Amino acid sequence: MFRFHDGSYFRADEDAERPEWIPRKEYLYGLADFMKFNRNLSEKIFNYLFGSFKIPAAMNAPYKQNGKCPVIIFSHGLGAFRTLYSAIGVELASQGFIVAAVEHRDESASATFFYEKTEEMGEKKKASTSTPKPNPTAPDHLAEKWMYYRALKPGEAEFPLRNSQVKKRADECIAALERLIEINSGKKMENVLQTKFDWTTLENSMDLCRIAVMGHSFGGATVIEALCKEVKFKCGIALDAWMFPLDDEIYVRVKQPVFFINSEKFQWAGNIMRMRKLESSSTSMHRKMITIMGTVHQSFPDFTFLTGSWIGKILKLKGEIDPQVGIDLCNKASLAFLQRHLGIEKDFNQWDHLIEGKDVNLIPGTNVKEIS
């Protein structure tokens, strides 16, 4: 999913089509499964709460070259999917980045779909979590298949599953980057979604010397794994990272700068201790951590903006801080960090003080009492 700045990169009228925040009803089913709610009832509730929302970007808008743009690969959290972080993605894109939001197929997304060849092509059916069905927007030889979140089985140990998932997630982030590199080179790509966007306009549009990886929660762990696996990622930003899925030996192998932006209510001593392990290397001076006061774990996805105060508090989608203030701090600190470590010639350094936690709503480092 790509979004571009309205002034510099969109040539769109005010009535341009906006993408749906919840693109398909199957995503509502996936959210219901993840939250262990009844699907039919949840679909009605979620539709009532969120069904009318659209992402503030022009869908399939023509791309206008305006110099080469740095690139960010974004990884969603457990039980999420690609559209749920538009407040972050749109802001980064509005500042001149090309943002690719990955939807993971490791069974950690609440729902995702893909296409496989139909039996008419002589292919055997592959095992999946749903039955293939035709989609009028897809080529005739492909069938749409949905994959939903996989919960732990009774008695199943969690680490082996999450560890295998984080490695696949990192591979998917790297695969997304490889596709962008091919698009940037002008290679013709098959678009099975049959959207109207002209991908050839992205040829030679990306600054492939300036690439970062970013993610929330499980996506934060994915950031660390991806940095370890791919040196093309020059730095990483981990939002309220859940470090549990990572192997112990990975910490000394990550050489790039990392920025941890944490919420006040989610973190605990063991998780912070894992983040601190990254500081043992020679590049520890480039490892930063701040905590946004009054925030909860769900202060980073869009849900925090779209629910009323009492529903947000009950479902722990809102903290004590104004959601807009919280996300602004996150975005501005991220932009300052990206300028510093990607060598971007912008004015994001006006927010350098946020990287150090210097703001009335920030804590340098962590609010968690650490184990000595």
Side-chain angles (χ1 to χ4, degrees):
M1 179 176 61
F2 300 89
R3 314 180 183 99
F4 307 100
H5 188 283
D6 277 334
S8 300
Y9 304 106
F10 276 140
R11 295 197 305 272
D13 298 327
E14 291 184 2
D15 60 351
E17 182 184 1
R18 307 297 188 191
E20 301 284 347
W21 187 62
I22 304 290
R24 301 273 297 274
K25 67 178 181 180
E26 286 86 354
Y27 289 105
L28 300 180
Y29 296 158
L31 287 172
D33 292 349
F34 178 71
M35 299 173 72
K36 299 181 180 179
F37 293 164
N38 176 273
R39 276 191 177 188
N40 292 331
L41 178 60
S42 296
E43 181 185 1
K44 294 177 182 178
I45 294 173
F46 291 151
N47 253 328
Y48 173 77
L49 291 174
F50 311 121
S52 63
F53 290 111
K54 295 182 181 292
I55 294 173
M59 191 169 182
N60 297 321
Y63 180 76
K64 180 181 178 181
Q65 289 275 3
N66 189 21
K68 292 191 175 184
C69 301
V71 174
I72 298 175
I73 307 295
F74 192 94
S75 173
H76 64 71
L78 191 71
F81 46 90
R82 71 186 188 279
T83 61
L84 297 191
Y85 297 87
S86 69
I88 294 172
V90 167
E91 176 60 21
L92 293 172
S94 77
Q95 299 291 350
F97 293 85
I98 288 179
V99 182
V102 178
E103 194 164 86
H104 291 292
R105 294 179 188 157
D106 61 334
E107 296 182 298
S108 69
S110 60
T112 187
F113 69 96
F114 58 96
Y115 293 97
E116 73 171 24
K117 292 181 179 180
T118 60
E119 290 182 299
E120 287 75 15
M121 294 294 292
E123 295 282 335
K124 292 182 179 180
K125 282 188 176 182
K126 299 175 184 177
S128 75
T129 56
S130 64
T131 303
K133 59 182 179 181
N135 186 317
T137 64
D140 292 338
H141 67 284
L142 296 176
E144 179 185 287
K145 298 182 70 174
W146 281 86
M147 175 185 290
Y148 293 99
Y149 173 76
R150 174 167 111 62
L152 284 172
K153 300 173 183 176
E156 181 182 11
E158 186 167 18
F159 180 77
L161 172 63
R162 303 307 183 201
N163 182 251
S164 65
Q165 286 177 323
V166 78
K167 290 175 179 176
K168 181 171 183 179
R169 284 167 144 260
D171 289 341
E172 289 174 333
C173 288
I174 295 166
L177 176 58
E178 289 171 350
R179 297 294 82 73
L180 289 182
I181 292 171
E182 290 176 344
I183 291 168
N184 189 68
S185 72
K187 181 178 179 180
K188 184 176 176 59
M189 308 296 291
E190 181 186 9
N191 179 7
V192 298
L193 294 177
Q194 306 288 288
T195 53
K196 298 177 182 178
F197 182 75
D198 183 2
W199 293 95
T200 64
T201 60
L202 287 175
E203 182 177 355
N204 204 32
S205 66
M206 305 174 204
D207 188 341
L208 298 180
C209 294
R210 293 179 169 87
I211 303 170
V213 59
M214 187 174 185
H216 171 242
S217 192
F218 204 172
T222 306
V223 166
I224 307 304
E225 186 76 32
L227 289 172
C228 179
K229 287 187 169 187
E230 181 51 75
V231 295
K232 291 187 181 73
F233 293 123
K234 302 304 181 185
C235 64
I237 300 176
L239 308 177
D240 229 13
W242 179 46
M243 305 294 283
F244 170 78
L246 297 168
D247 291 309
D248 284 337
E249 60 267 23
I250 198 173
Y251 298 99
V252 296
R253 294 164 54 195
V254 176
K255 306 303 181 184
Q256 303 95 314
V258 181
F259 190 18
F260 291 104
I261 303 179
N262 295 336
S263 72
E264 184 179 4
K265 301 298 184 182
F266 176 72
Q267 294 297 332
W268 64 99
N271 207 49
I272 295 293
M273 184 174 66
R274 287 174 172 264
M275 295 179 188
R276 295 292 195 200
K277 286 184 180 181
L278 286 169
E279 297 182 356
S280 62
S281 72
S282 59
T283 57
S284 63
M285 62 180 293
H286 300 308
R287 308 288 164 77
K288 297 292 184 179
M289 182 191 301
I290 61 172
T291 300
I292 305 176
M293 296 173 62
T295 52
V296 296
H297 193 51
Q298 297 302 325
S299 292
F300 298 94
D302 296 339
F303 283 114
T304 193
F305 302 101
L306 305 181
T307 51
S309 181
W310 68 273
I311 294 178
K313 293 290 179 63
I314 291 173
L315 297 179
K316 298 183 179 180
L317 302 175
K318 288 183 182 292
E320 298 302 321
I321 195 171
D322 181 321
Q324 190 61 57
V325 172
I327 208 68
D328 279 350
L329 286 168
C330 173
N331 287 335
K332 289 175 180 177
S334 296
L335 288 166
F337 185 83
L338 290 167
Q339 173 164 331
R340 179 180 294 185
H341 296 290
L342 296 182
I344 301 168
E345 295 183 3
K346 293 277 192 175
D347 62 351
F348 305 152
N349 56 352
Q350 64 182 297
W351 301 310
D352 275 352
H353 62 283
L354 301 180
I355 301 176
E356 310 301 328
K358 295 178 180 179
D359 184 89
V360 67
N361 290 305
L362 294 179
I363 299 170
T366 180
N367 61 309
V368 175
K369 186 175 181 180
E370 299 180 60
I371 302 171
S372 58

